[in-house]
Amino acid sequence: MLDSNPNWLAHCTEIKDLAKSLFQKSTIHLESAALLLITDGQTTLSINGHKEHIVFGHLIALESDAVIQLTNTNRLDFSGYLTVFSLLHIKNDQGSSSP
C-alpha cells in the first residue's frame, strides 16, 4: 500500500456529464487534474493522443493539461462523469495552503 501524503488536499471544482460534454465539443482540454468515471456502456477515447477503449466501471486519473477526444462521433453509447479538481499543498508550519 502506498503512503498517503497528508500535506496534499484535493478540492472539487466541477463535475461534468462526460458524454454530453463530448457530444457538444468532441475535444476537451483540461486545465486542472481530473477523474474520469464511466458509469455505463463503452467507447473509445483518445487521451493525450493514445486511444483507450473504456467500459463501465473504469476510473481514469488525468493530469492537468490532458486532452480528451471522442474518436467515434457516430456512436455515443456510454455515460460517465468528469470530476475536475484543484490540488492544494498544505504547509504544516503555518497551516496555510497554496495551489
Side-chain angles (χ1 to χ4, degrees):
M1 185 171 169
L2 297 175
D3 292 332
S4 63
N5 185 343
N7 298 326
W8 286 96
L9 176 71
H11 173 77
C12 179
T13 58
E14 184 177 18
I15 299 174
K16 292 182 178 182
D17 181 316
L18 182 63
K20 184 177 178 180
S21 295
L22 286 171
F23 179 70
Q24 293 171 349
K25 186 176 179 184
S26 65
T27 301
I28 298 174
H29 182 265
L30 299 174
E31 294 180 12
S32 299
L35 290 173
L36 188 147
L37 174 64
I38 303 304
T39 56
D40 191 26
Q42 61 183 337
T43 193
T44 301
L45 297 177
S46 173
I47 301 174
N48 292 333
H50 300 282
K51 287 188 179 181
E52 299 290 336
H53 184 75
I54 55 174
V55 298
F56 164 77
H58 278 183
L59 177 65
I60 300 170
L62 302 167
E63 61 190 353
S64 60
D65 295 323
V67 177
I68 305 167
Q69 186 173 17
L70 185 61
T71 58
N72 185 356
T73 57
N74 296 331
R75 190 167 180 213
L76 290 175
D77 187 25
F78 77 101
S79 61
Y81 295 96
L82 184 65
T83 305
V84 181
F85 56 93
S86 296
L87 289 175
L88 304 172
H89 182 256
I90 301 171
K91 297 179 183 178
N92 286 333
D93 56 344
Q94 298 174 355
S96 61
S97 64
S98 63

